[in-house]
Amino acid sequence: MPTTPATAATSAPSGAAPSIMLELVDENGTTIGTAEKLSAHQAPGRLHRAFSVFLFDEEGRLLLQRRALGKYHSPGVWSNTCCGHPYPGEAPFTAAARRVSEELGVSPSLMAEAGTVRYNHPDPVSGLVEQEYNHLFVGMVQAPLRPDPEEVGETAFVTAQELAERHASVPFSAWFMTVLDAARPAIKELTGAAGGW
């Protein structure tokens, strides 16, 4: 059974916050163990499973989110629609759909796998390291957003040109361009050549 905040809480000492565990992987994405979330991100970082989601509206605009200021990692920066980590034993697709719902209050439509990408991105502000084997997903959002303010500070739908302008003028997550570039073939397939992605 996957370790979730609910099951982790049962083993946490009274009054202590439950530990969130991540799945450690080798360079091929094979699970080799688990580690507590913060410790996996402390320098030099431990390679772990993650996911990144890119959702688009009917006009082919990408949904971005600005991470809430209260987040311990990369607070207040813009990033892709949703990203996170599966619980140990949780399928990446299931985790991606779950986090979209938890963070943005919607269920993704037509979400499909878009490959994987492995990267090592230190965050110069926090000193934390994203050492990730990242599963990519693309899809549509077809319902009004209801963002959780503890997770999401702001949202925006942008065209490819608007993204380029925004990326040049405001802070984005260290991993954003890596995951976007890796997902581009699937994004182009979803949005069509006219979308400019």
Side-chain angles (χ1 to χ4, degrees):
M1 180 169 95
T3 303
T4 67
T7 58
T10 61
S11 60
S14 179
S19 296
I20 297 176
M21 303 301 288
L22 306 185
E23 205 168 80
L24 299 179
V25 299
D26 65 16
E27 294 291 340
N28 298 313
T30 303
T31 302
I32 58 171
T34 60
E36 190 275 326
K37 183 178 178 181
L38 181 58
S39 71
H41 288 89
Q42 290 171 330
R46 300 177 73 186
L47 185 60
H48 58 274
R49 195 177 308 284
F51 62 82
S52 290
V53 180
F54 296 86
L55 298 182
F56 295 81
D57 67 8
E58 298 287 352
E59 299 172 38
R61 298 179 303 170
L62 171 61
L63 173 59
L64 298 177
Q65 69 156 278
R66 188 171 61 81
R67 294 164 64 84
L69 291 173
K71 294 180 81 72
Y72 76 88
H73 192 344
S74 302
V77 301
W78 287 92
S79 199
N80 48 296
T81 307
C82 180
C83 53
H85 309 92
Y87 297 124
E90 183 181 29
F93 184 95
T94 302
R98 172 179 57 78
R99 284 305 288 164
V100 168
S101 177
E102 290 171 356
E103 291 188 9
L104 296 162
V106 294
S107 295
S109 303
L110 306 173
M111 194 169 76
E113 294 182 9
T116 59
V117 61
R118 189 260 195 255
Y119 53 78
N120 176 2
H121 285 303
D123 176 28
V125 177
S126 68
L128 299 175
V129 178
E130 288 291 3
Q131 188 78 258
E132 293 187 331
Y133 187 94
N134 198 302
H135 297 256
L136 307 170
F137 299 94
V138 300
M140 305 284 292
V141 60
Q142 298 174 307
L145 302 176
R146 292 169 309 174
D148 177 350
E150 292 191 10
E151 297 286 345
V152 180
E154 189 178 349
T155 60
F157 284 96
V158 296
T159 65
Q161 180 59 40
E162 290 167 343
L163 172 62
E165 293 166 2
R166 185 179 295 244
H167 192 263
S169 62
V170 298
F172 271 71
S173 63
W175 61 86
F176 176 76
M177 287 307 300
T178 300
V179 293
L180 175 63
D181 287 343
R184 280 187 197 275
I187 290 171
K188 290 176 181 176
E189 190 173 328
L190 177 73
T191 60
W197 295 102

Short mmCIF file of all heavy atoms in Angstrom, two decimals, residues 46-114:
data_model
loop_
_atom_site.label_atom_id
_atom_site.label_comp_id
_atom_site.label_asym_id
_atom_site.label_seq_id
_atom_site.Cartn_x
_atom_site.Cartn_y
_atom_site.Cartn_z
N ARG A 46 19.35 13.48 -3.67
CA ARG A 46 19.29 12.05 -3.96
C ARG A 46 18.28 11.86 -5.09
O ARG A 46 17.20 12.45 -5.07
CB ARG A 46 18.88 11.26 -2.72
CG ARG A 46 19.88 11.46 -1.56
CD ARG A 46 19.45 10.75 -0.31
NE ARG A 46 19.63 9.31 -0.47
CZ ARG A 46 19.22 8.42 0.43
NH1 ARG A 46 18.60 8.82 1.53
NH2 ARG A 46 19.43 7.13 0.24
N LEU A 47 18.65 11.06 -6.07
CA LEU A 47 17.79 10.87 -7.25
C LEU A 47 16.48 10.23 -6.84
O LEU A 47 16.47 9.15 -6.25
CB LEU A 47 18.51 10.03 -8.30
CG LEU A 47 17.79 9.84 -9.63
CD1 LEU A 47 17.52 11.18 -10.31
CD2 LEU A 47 18.60 8.94 -10.55
N HIS A 48 15.37 10.90 -7.15
CA HIS A 48 14.05 10.39 -6.75
C HIS A 48 13.04 10.61 -7.87
O HIS A 48 13.25 11.40 -8.78
CB HIS A 48 13.59 11.07 -5.45
CG HIS A 48 13.51 12.57 -5.55
ND1 HIS A 48 14.59 13.39 -5.33
CD2 HIS A 48 12.48 13.38 -5.84
CE1 HIS A 48 14.23 14.65 -5.48
NE2 HIS A 48 12.95 14.68 -5.80
N ARG A 49 11.92 9.89 -7.75
CA ARG A 49 10.86 9.95 -8.76
C ARG A 49 10.03 11.21 -8.57
O ARG A 49 9.70 11.59 -7.44
CB ARG A 49 9.99 8.70 -8.67
CG ARG A 49 9.09 8.49 -9.88
CD ARG A 49 8.29 7.19 -9.80
NE ARG A 49 9.08 6.01 -9.53
CZ ARG A 49 9.84 5.37 -10.41
NH1 ARG A 49 9.95 5.84 -11.64
NH2 ARG A 49 10.51 4.28 -10.07
N ALA A 50 9.68 11.86 -9.67
CA ALA A 50 8.85 13.06 -9.64
C ALA A 50 7.96 13.06 -10.88
O ALA A 50 8.08 12.19 -11.74
CB ALA A 50 9.74 14.30 -9.61
N PHE A 51 7.08 14.05 -10.95
CA PHE A 51 6.25 14.21 -12.15
C PHE A 51 6.05 15.70 -12.41
O PHE A 51 6.14 16.53 -11.51
CB PHE A 51 4.89 13.51 -12.01
CG PHE A 51 4.05 14.06 -10.90
CD1 PHE A 51 3.28 15.20 -11.07
CD2 PHE A 51 4.02 13.43 -9.67
CE1 PHE A 51 2.53 15.72 -10.03
CE2 PHE A 51 3.26 13.93 -8.62
CZ PHE A 51 2.51 15.09 -8.81
N SER A 52 5.80 16.03 -13.68
CA SER A 52 5.46 17.39 -14.09
C SER A 52 4.29 17.31 -15.07
O SER A 52 4.30 16.49 -15.99
CB SER A 52 6.65 18.08 -14.77
OG SER A 52 7.66 18.36 -13.82
N VAL A 53 3.32 18.20 -14.86
CA VAL A 53 2.09 18.21 -15.66
C VAL A 53 2.00 19.54 -16.41
O VAL A 53 2.27 20.60 -15.85
CB VAL A 53 0.85 18.04 -14.76
CG1 VAL A 53 -0.43 18.04 -15.60
CG2 VAL A 53 0.95 16.75 -13.95
N PHE A 54 1.58 19.46 -17.67
CA PHE A 54 1.32 20.63 -18.51
C PHE A 54 -0.11 20.50 -19.04
O PHE A 54 -0.40 19.62 -19.85
CB PHE A 54 2.29 20.67 -19.70
CG PHE A 54 3.72 20.85 -19.29
CD1 PHE A 54 4.50 19.75 -18.95
CD2 PHE A 54 4.29 22.12 -19.23
CE1 PHE A 54 5.82 19.91 -18.56
CE2 PHE A 54 5.61 22.28 -18.84
CZ PHE A 54 6.37 21.18 -18.51
N LEU A 55 -0.99 21.37 -18.56
CA LEU A 55 -2.38 21.36 -19.01
C LEU A 55 -2.67 22.61 -19.84
O LEU A 55 -2.17 23.70 -19.53
CB LEU A 55 -3.34 21.29 -17.82
CG LEU A 55 -3.25 20.04 -16.94
CD1 LEU A 55 -4.29 20.11 -15.83
CD2 LEU A 55 -3.39 18.76 -17.75
N PHE A 56 -3.51 22.44 -20.84
CA PHE A 56 -3.84 23.50 -21.79
C PHE A 56 -5.34 23.70 -21.85
O PHE A 56 -6.12 22.76 -21.63
CB PHE A 56 -3.31 23.13 -23.19
CG PHE A 56 -1.81 23.07 -23.24
CD1 PHE A 56 -1.13 21.94 -22.80
CD2 PHE A 56 -1.08 24.14 -23.71
CE1 PHE A 56 0.25 21.88 -22.82
CE2 PHE A 56 0.31 24.09 -23.73
CZ PHE A 56 0.97 22.96 -23.29
N ASP A 57 -5.76 24.94 -22.18
CA ASP A 57 -7.19 25.19 -22.38
C ASP A 57 -7.54 24.93 -23.83
O ASP A 57 -6.69 24.53 -24.64
CB ASP A 57 -7.57 26.60 -21.90
CG ASP A 57 -6.96 27.73 -22.74
OD1 ASP A 57 -6.34 27.44 -23.80
OD2 ASP A 57 -7.11 28.89 -22.34
N GLU A 58 -8.79 25.17 -24.17
CA GLU A 58 -9.27 24.87 -25.53
C GLU A 58 -8.60 25.75 -26.59
O GLU A 58 -8.62 25.43 -27.77
CB GLU A 58 -10.80 25.06 -25.60
CG GLU A 58 -11.58 24.13 -24.68
CD GLU A 58 -11.61 22.69 -25.16
OE1 GLU A 58 -11.14 22.42 -26.28
OE2 GLU A 58 -12.11 21.83 -24.41
N GLU A 59 -8.03 26.87 -26.17
CA GLU A 59 -7.35 27.77 -27.10
C GLU A 59 -5.87 27.43 -27.25
O GLU A 59 -5.13 28.14 -27.94
CB GLU A 59 -7.50 29.22 -26.62
CG GLU A 59 -8.94 29.69 -26.56
CD GLU A 59 -9.05 31.06 -25.89
OE1 GLU A 59 -8.17 31.91 -26.11
OE2 GLU A 59 -10.03 31.27 -25.16
N GLY A 60 -5.41 26.37 -26.60
CA GLY A 60 -4.02 25.97 -26.69
C GLY A 60 -3.08 26.77 -25.81
O GLY A 60 -1.86 26.77 -26.02
N ARG A 61 -3.64 27.43 -24.79
CA ARG A 61 -2.81 28.19 -23.85
C ARG A 61 -2.42 27.31 -22.67
O ARG A 61 -3.24 26.54 -22.16
CB ARG A 61 -3.56 29.43 -23.34
CG ARG A 61 -3.93 30.42 -24.43
CD ARG A 61 -4.69 31.61 -23.86
NE ARG A 61 -5.88 31.17 -23.14
CZ ARG A 61 -6.64 31.96 -22.37
NH1 ARG A 61 -6.29 33.24 -22.20
NH2 ARG A 61 -7.70 31.50 -21.76
N LEU A 62 -1.18 27.44 -22.23
CA LEU A 62 -0.64 26.65 -21.13
C LEU A 62 -1.05 27.26 -19.79
O LEU A 62 -0.93 28.48 -19.60
CB LEU A 62 0.88 26.60 -21.23
CG LEU A 62 1.64 25.99 -20.05
CD1 LEU A 62 1.27 24.53 -19.82
CD2 LEU A 62 3.16 26.13 -20.27
N LEU A 63 -1.49 26.42 -18.88
CA LEU A 63 -1.80 26.85 -17.52
C LEU A 63 -0.53 26.84 -16.68
O LEU A 63 0.08 25.80 -16.47
CB LEU A 63 -2.85 25.93 -16.89
CG LEU A 63 -3.15 26.15 -15.41
CD1 LEU A 63 -3.65 27.57 -15.14
CD2 LEU A 63 -4.17 25.12 -14.92
N LEU A 64 -0.13 28.03 -16.22
CA LEU A 64 1.01 28.18 -15.31
C LEU A 64 0.49 28.40 -13.90
O LEU A 64 -0.62 28.89 -13.72
CB LEU A 64 1.85 29.39 -15.69
CG LEU A 64 2.53 29.41 -17.05
CD1 LEU A 64 3.24 30.75 -17.24
CD2 LEU A 64 3.50 28.26 -17.22
N GLN A 65 1.31 28.08 -12.92
CA GLN A 65 0.99 28.47 -11.56
C GLN A 65 2.20 29.14 -10.93
O GLN A 65 3.35 28.81 -11.23
CB GLN A 65 0.56 27.28 -10.69
CG GLN A 65 1.64 26.27 -10.35
CD GLN A 65 1.34 25.50 -9.08
OE1 GLN A 65 1.61 25.99 -7.98
NE2 GLN A 65 0.80 24.30 -9.24
N ARG A 66 1.91 30.13 -10.08
CA ARG A 66 2.96 30.72 -9.25
C ARG A 66 2.87 30.04 -7.90
O ARG A 66 1.83 30.05 -7.24
CB ARG A 66 2.78 32.23 -9.11
CG ARG A 66 3.97 32.90 -8.41
CD ARG A 66 3.88 34.42 -8.47
NE ARG A 66 2.69 34.90 -7.82
CZ ARG A 66 2.53 35.07 -6.50
NH1 ARG A 66 3.52 34.74 -5.67
NH2 ARG A 66 1.40 35.53 -6.01
N ARG A 67 3.96 29.44 -7.48
CA ARG A 67 3.97 28.66 -6.25
C ARG A 67 3.72 29.57 -5.05
O ARG A 67 4.20 30.71 -4.99
CB ARG A 67 5.31 27.93 -6.13
CG ARG A 67 5.50 26.87 -7.21
CD ARG A 67 6.94 26.42 -7.33
NE ARG A 67 7.43 25.77 -6.15
CZ ARG A 67 7.26 24.48 -5.85
NH1 ARG A 67 6.59 23.70 -6.68
NH2 ARG A 67 7.77 23.97 -4.74
N ALA A 68 2.96 29.06 -4.09
CA ALA A 68 2.60 29.84 -2.91
C ALA A 68 3.84 30.29 -2.16
O ALA A 68 4.86 29.58 -2.12
CB ALA A 68 1.69 29.03 -2.00
N LEU A 69 3.76 31.45 -1.53
CA LEU A 69 4.90 32.00 -0.80
C LEU A 69 5.28 31.16 0.41
O LEU A 69 6.42 31.23 0.88
CB LEU A 69 4.59 33.43 -0.36
CG LEU A 69 4.50 34.45 -1.50
CD1 LEU A 69 4.04 35.80 -0.96
CD2 LEU A 69 5.84 34.58 -2.22
N GLY A 70 4.34 30.35 0.92
CA GLY A 70 4.62 29.54 2.10
C GLY A 70 5.33 28.24 1.82
O GLY A 70 5.71 27.53 2.76
N LYS A 71 5.56 27.90 0.55
CA LYS A 71 6.22 26.63 0.23
C LYS A 71 7.71 26.74 0.57
O LYS A 71 8.34 27.76 0.34
CB LYS A 71 6.02 26.27 -1.25
CG LYS A 71 4.56 25.98 -1.58
CD LYS A 71 4.37 25.62 -3.03
CE LYS A 71 4.72 24.18 -3.32
NZ LYS A 71 3.77 23.21 -2.80
N TYR A 72 8.27 25.65 1.13
CA TYR A 72 9.67 25.70 1.56
C TYR A 72 10.63 25.64 0.38
O TYR A 72 11.79 26.04 0.48
CB TYR A 72 9.98 24.59 2.58
CG TYR A 72 10.14 23.21 2.00
CD1 TYR A 72 11.37 22.76 1.54
CD2 TYR A 72 9.06 22.33 1.92
CE1 TYR A 72 11.52 21.50 1.01
CE2 TYR A 72 9.21 21.06 1.40
CZ TYR A 72 10.44 20.65 0.94
OH TYR A 72 10.58 19.40 0.42
N HIS A 73 10.18 25.10 -0.75
CA HIS A 73 11.05 24.96 -1.92
C HIS A 73 10.50 25.83 -3.04
O HIS A 73 9.35 25.71 -3.43
CB HIS A 73 11.08 23.49 -2.35
CG HIS A 73 12.15 23.17 -3.36
ND1 HIS A 73 12.82 24.12 -4.09
CD2 HIS A 73 12.66 21.99 -3.77
CE1 HIS A 73 13.68 23.54 -4.89
NE2 HIS A 73 13.61 22.25 -4.70
N SER A 74 11.34 26.74 -3.55
CA SER A 74 10.99 27.60 -4.68
C SER A 74 9.67 28.35 -4.48
O SER A 74 8.81 28.34 -5.34
CB SER A 74 10.93 26.78 -5.98
OG SER A 74 12.17 26.13 -6.22
N PRO A 75 9.51 29.03 -3.33
CA PRO A 75 8.27 29.79 -3.11
C PRO A 75 8.19 31.01 -4.03
O PRO A 75 9.21 31.63 -4.34
CB PRO A 75 8.38 30.22 -1.65
CG PRO A 75 9.85 30.30 -1.39
CD PRO A 75 10.45 29.19 -2.21
N GLY A 76 6.98 31.32 -4.47
CA GLY A 76 6.73 32.56 -5.19
C GLY A 76 7.19 32.60 -6.62
O GLY A 76 7.06 33.65 -7.27
N VAL A 77 7.72 31.50 -7.17
CA VAL A 77 8.16 31.51 -8.56
C VAL A 77 7.11 30.85 -9.44
O VAL A 77 6.30 30.04 -8.98
CB VAL A 77 9.53 30.81 -8.74
CG1 VAL A 77 10.59 31.48 -7.88
CG2 VAL A 77 9.45 29.32 -8.43
N TRP A 78 7.13 31.20 -10.71
CA TRP A 78 6.21 30.59 -11.67
C TRP A 78 6.75 29.23 -12.10
O TRP A 78 7.96 29.01 -12.12
CB TRP A 78 6.05 31.51 -12.88
CG TRP A 78 5.21 32.70 -12.57
CD1 TRP A 78 5.64 33.93 -12.13
CD2 TRP A 78 3.79 32.78 -12.63
NE1 TRP A 78 4.57 34.76 -11.93
CE2 TRP A 78 3.43 34.09 -12.23
CE3 TRP A 78 2.78 31.88 -12.99
CZ2 TRP A 78 2.10 34.50 -12.18
CZ3 TRP A 78 1.46 32.29 -12.95
CH2 TRP A 78 1.13 33.59 -12.54
N SER A 79 5.84 28.34 -12.45
CA SER A 79 6.24 27.02 -12.91
C SER A 79 5.13 26.41 -13.76
O SER A 79 4.14 27.08 -14.06
CB SER A 79 6.57 26.11 -11.71
OG SER A 79 7.36 25.01 -12.14
N ASN A 80 5.32 25.16 -14.13
CA ASN A 80 4.33 24.49 -14.96
C ASN A 80 3.04 24.25 -14.16
O ASN A 80 2.96 24.58 -12.98
CB ASN A 80 4.89 23.18 -15.52
CG ASN A 80 5.56 22.32 -14.48
OD1 ASN A 80 6.57 22.72 -13.91
ND2 ASN A 80 5.01 21.16 -14.22
N THR A 81 2.03 23.69 -14.82
CA THR A 81 0.71 23.54 -14.22
C THR A 81 0.76 22.91 -12.85
O THR A 81 0.15 23.38 -11.89
CB THR A 81 -0.19 22.69 -15.14
OG1 THR A 81 -0.19 23.25 -16.46
CG2 THR A 81 -1.60 22.62 -14.60
N CYS A 82 1.51 21.83 -12.72
CA CYS A 82 1.58 21.09 -11.46
C CYS A 82 2.81 20.20 -11.51
O CYS A 82 3.16 19.67 -12.56
CB CYS A 82 0.32 20.25 -11.28
SG CYS A 82 0.25 19.27 -9.77
N CYS A 83 3.46 20.06 -10.36
CA CYS A 83 4.57 19.12 -10.26
C CYS A 83 4.62 18.58 -8.84
O CYS A 83 4.06 19.18 -7.92
CB CYS A 83 5.90 19.75 -10.66
SG CYS A 83 6.28 21.26 -9.79
N GLY A 84 5.26 17.45 -8.69
CA GLY A 84 5.32 16.85 -7.36
C GLY A 84 5.98 15.50 -7.40
O GLY A 84 6.73 15.17 -8.33
N HIS A 85 5.68 14.70 -6.38
CA HIS A 85 6.32 13.40 -6.20
C HIS A 85 5.28 12.34 -5.89
O HIS A 85 4.44 12.55 -5.02
CB HIS A 85 7.31 13.45 -5.03
CG HIS A 85 8.26 14.60 -5.11
ND1 HIS A 85 8.01 15.82 -4.53
CD2 HIS A 85 9.48 14.70 -5.71
CE1 HIS A 85 9.03 16.63 -4.77
NE2 HIS A 85 9.93 15.98 -5.48
N PRO A 86 5.32 11.21 -6.58
CA PRO A 86 4.45 10.10 -6.17
C PRO A 86 4.85 9.59 -4.79
O PRO A 86 6.02 9.65 -4.41
CB PRO A 86 4.71 9.02 -7.23
CG PRO A 86 5.43 9.70 -8.34
CD PRO A 86 6.16 10.86 -7.73
N TYR A 87 3.90 9.11 -4.04
CA TYR A 87 4.22 8.38 -2.82
C TYR A 87 4.87 7.06 -3.21
O TYR A 87 4.63 6.55 -4.32
CB TYR A 87 2.96 8.11 -1.99
CG TYR A 87 2.27 9.36 -1.52
CD1 TYR A 87 0.93 9.59 -1.81
CD2 TYR A 87 2.95 10.32 -0.77
CE1 TYR A 87 0.29 10.74 -1.36
CE2 TYR A 87 2.32 11.46 -0.32
CZ TYR A 87 0.99 11.67 -0.62
OH TYR A 87 0.36 12.81 -0.19
N PRO A 88 5.69 6.46 -2.36
CA PRO A 88 6.26 5.16 -2.69
C PRO A 88 5.16 4.16 -3.06
O PRO A 88 4.17 4.01 -2.34
CB PRO A 88 6.97 4.76 -1.39
CG PRO A 88 7.36 6.07 -0.78
CD PRO A 88 6.20 6.99 -1.08
N GLY A 89 5.31 3.53 -4.22
CA GLY A 89 4.33 2.56 -4.69
C GLY A 89 3.18 3.16 -5.48
O GLY A 89 2.38 2.42 -6.06
N GLU A 90 3.07 4.48 -5.55
CA GLU A 90 1.99 5.13 -6.29
C GLU A 90 2.41 5.35 -7.74
O GLU A 90 3.51 5.83 -8.00
CB GLU A 90 1.66 6.48 -5.63
CG GLU A 90 0.49 7.21 -6.28
CD GLU A 90 0.21 8.55 -5.63
OE1 GLU A 90 1.16 9.18 -5.09
OE2 GLU A 90 -0.95 8.98 -5.64
N ALA A 91 1.54 5.02 -8.68
CA ALA A 91 1.86 5.22 -10.09
C ALA A 91 1.99 6.71 -10.38
O ALA A 91 1.19 7.51 -9.89
CB ALA A 91 0.77 4.61 -10.96
N PRO A 92 2.98 7.12 -11.19
CA PRO A 92 3.13 8.54 -11.49
C PRO A 92 1.88 9.18 -12.09
O PRO A 92 1.55 10.32 -11.75
CB PRO A 92 4.30 8.56 -12.48
CG PRO A 92 5.12 7.37 -12.09
CD PRO A 92 4.11 6.33 -11.71
N PHE A 93 1.17 8.48 -12.97
CA PHE A 93 -0.05 9.04 -13.56
C PHE A 93 -1.09 9.33 -12.47
O PHE A 93 -1.71 10.40 -12.45
CB PHE A 93 -0.64 8.06 -14.59
CG PHE A 93 -1.84 8.59 -15.32
CD1 PHE A 93 -1.70 9.20 -16.55
CD2 PHE A 93 -3.12 8.49 -14.78
CE1 PHE A 93 -2.81 9.71 -17.24
CE2 PHE A 93 -4.22 8.99 -15.45
CZ PHE A 93 -4.06 9.59 -16.68
N THR A 94 -1.26 8.39 -11.55
CA THR A 94 -2.21 8.57 -10.44
C THR A 94 -1.80 9.75 -9.58
O THR A 94 -2.64 10.57 -9.18
CB THR A 94 -2.26 7.29 -9.60
OG1 THR A 94 -2.65 6.20 -10.44
CG2 THR A 94 -3.24 7.42 -8.45
N ALA A 95 -0.51 9.85 -9.28
CA ALA A 95 -0.01 10.94 -8.46
C ALA A 95 -0.23 12.29 -9.14
O ALA A 95 -0.63 13.27 -8.50
CB ALA A 95 1.47 10.74 -8.17
N ALA A 96 0.02 12.34 -10.45
CA ALA A 96 -0.14 13.59 -11.19
C ALA A 96 -1.60 14.05 -11.17
O ALA A 96 -1.89 15.23 -10.91
CB ALA A 96 0.34 13.41 -12.62
N ALA A 97 -2.53 13.13 -11.43
CA ALA A 97 -3.95 13.49 -11.40
C ALA A 97 -4.38 13.92 -10.01
O ALA A 97 -5.16 14.87 -9.83
CB ALA A 97 -4.79 12.32 -11.90
N ARG A 98 -3.87 13.22 -8.99
CA ARG A 98 -4.21 13.55 -7.60
C ARG A 98 -3.75 14.96 -7.25
O ARG A 98 -4.50 15.75 -6.67
CB ARG A 98 -3.55 12.53 -6.66
CG ARG A 98 -3.67 12.88 -5.18
CD ARG A 98 -3.03 11.82 -4.28
NE ARG A 98 -1.63 11.57 -4.56
CZ ARG A 98 -0.62 12.36 -4.17
NH1 ARG A 98 -0.86 13.47 -3.49
NH2 ARG A 98 0.64 12.03 -4.45
N ARG A 99 -2.50 15.29 -7.60
CA ARG A 99 -1.97 16.60 -7.22
C ARG A 99 -2.63 17.74 -8.00
O ARG A 99 -2.80 18.84 -7.47
CB ARG A 99 -0.45 16.64 -7.40
CG ARG A 99 0.31 15.92 -6.34
CD ARG A 99 -0.02 16.41 -4.93
NE ARG A 99 0.51 17.74 -4.65
CZ ARG A 99 0.13 18.51 -3.64
NH1 ARG A 99 -0.81 18.10 -2.81
NH2 ARG A 99 0.66 19.70 -3.46
N VAL A 100 -2.99 17.52 -9.26
CA VAL A 100 -3.73 18.55 -9.99
C VAL A 100 -5.03 18.86 -9.26
O VAL A 100 -5.40 20.02 -9.06
CB VAL A 100 -4.01 18.11 -11.45
CG1 VAL A 100 -5.03 19.05 -12.11
CG2 VAL A 100 -2.72 18.08 -12.26
N SER A 101 -5.72 17.82 -8.82
CA SER A 101 -6.97 18.01 -8.08
C SER A 101 -6.73 18.72 -6.76
O SER A 101 -7.46 19.65 -6.39
CB SER A 101 -7.65 16.66 -7.86
OG SER A 101 -8.83 16.81 -7.10
N GLU A 102 -5.69 18.29 -6.01
CA GLU A 102 -5.41 18.88 -4.71
C GLU A 102 -4.97 20.34 -4.81
O GLU A 102 -5.38 21.18 -4.01
CB GLU A 102 -4.31 18.07 -4.00
CG GLU A 102 -4.76 16.70 -3.55
CD GLU A 102 -3.62 15.82 -3.05
OE1 GLU A 102 -2.44 16.25 -3.11
OE2 GLU A 102 -3.91 14.71 -2.59
N GLU A 103 -4.14 20.65 -5.80
CA GLU A 103 -3.60 22.00 -5.91
C GLU A 103 -4.53 22.96 -6.62
O GLU A 103 -4.64 24.13 -6.23
CB GLU A 103 -2.25 21.98 -6.65
CG GLU A 103 -1.14 21.33 -5.87
CD GLU A 103 0.22 21.49 -6.55
OE1 GLU A 103 0.32 22.26 -7.54
OE2 GLU A 103 1.17 20.85 -6.08
N LEU A 104 -5.20 22.50 -7.67
CA LEU A 104 -5.95 23.39 -8.55
C LEU A 104 -7.46 23.17 -8.51
O LEU A 104 -8.21 23.94 -9.12
CB LEU A 104 -5.44 23.26 -9.98
CG LEU A 104 -3.98 23.71 -10.14
CD1 LEU A 104 -3.38 23.17 -11.42
CD2 LEU A 104 -3.89 25.23 -10.11
N GLY A 105 -7.92 22.12 -7.84
CA GLY A 105 -9.35 21.88 -7.69
C GLY A 105 -10.05 21.43 -8.94
O GLY A 105 -11.27 21.60 -9.07
N VAL A 106 -9.33 20.84 -9.90
CA VAL A 106 -9.92 20.33 -11.13
C VAL A 106 -9.32 18.96 -11.45
O VAL A 106 -8.24 18.62 -10.97
CB VAL A 106 -9.67 21.26 -12.34
CG1 VAL A 106 -10.40 22.58 -12.18
CG2 VAL A 106 -8.19 21.48 -12.59
N SER A 107 -10.03 18.21 -12.27
CA SER A 107 -9.50 16.95 -12.79
C SER A 107 -9.00 17.18 -14.21
O SER A 107 -9.71 17.79 -15.02
CB SER A 107 -10.59 15.87 -12.79
OG SER A 107 -10.98 15.56 -11.47
N PRO A 108 -7.78 16.73 -14.53
CA PRO A 108 -7.30 16.92 -15.90
C PRO A 108 -8.08 16.06 -16.88
O PRO A 108 -8.56 14.98 -16.54
CB PRO A 108 -5.84 16.48 -15.81
CG PRO A 108 -5.78 15.56 -14.64
CD PRO A 108 -6.84 16.02 -13.67
N SER A 109 -8.21 16.56 -18.12
CA SER A 109 -8.86 15.81 -19.19
C SER A 109 -7.81 15.34 -20.19
O SER A 109 -6.82 16.04 -20.43
CB SER A 109 -9.88 16.69 -19.92
OG SER A 109 -10.82 17.21 -19.03
N LEU A 110 -8.03 14.18 -20.76
CA LEU A 110 -7.18 13.66 -21.83
C LEU A 110 -5.70 13.65 -21.44
O LEU A 110 -4.82 13.81 -22.30
CB LEU A 110 -7.36 14.48 -23.12
CG LEU A 110 -8.80 14.61 -23.64
CD1 LEU A 110 -8.85 15.57 -24.81
CD2 LEU A 110 -9.35 13.25 -24.03
N MET A 111 -5.41 13.47 -20.17
CA MET A 111 -4.01 13.49 -19.73
C MET A 111 -3.30 12.24 -20.22
O MET A 111 -3.82 11.14 -20.08
CB MET A 111 -3.91 13.62 -18.22
CG MET A 111 -2.51 13.99 -17.75
SD MET A 111 -2.41 14.45 -16.01
CE MET A 111 -2.52 12.84 -15.22
N ALA A 112 -2.12 12.44 -20.79
CA ALA A 112 -1.36 11.33 -21.35
C ALA A 112 0.11 11.46 -20.98
O ALA A 112 0.61 12.57 -20.74
CB ALA A 112 -1.50 11.32 -22.87
N GLU A 113 0.80 10.33 -20.95
CA GLU A 113 2.23 10.33 -20.67
C GLU A 113 2.99 11.03 -21.79
O GLU A 113 2.61 10.93 -22.96
CB GLU A 113 2.72 8.89 -20.52
CG GLU A 113 2.13 8.18 -19.32
CD GLU A 113 2.65 6.76 -19.15
OE1 GLU A 113 3.60 6.39 -19.87
OE2 GLU A 113 2.11 6.04 -18.31
N ALA A 114 4.05 11.74 -21.42
CA ALA A 114 4.84 12.49 -22.40
C ALA A 114 6.33 12.22 -22.23
O ALA A 114 7.17 13.06 -22.55
CB ALA A 114 4.55 13.98 -22.26
#
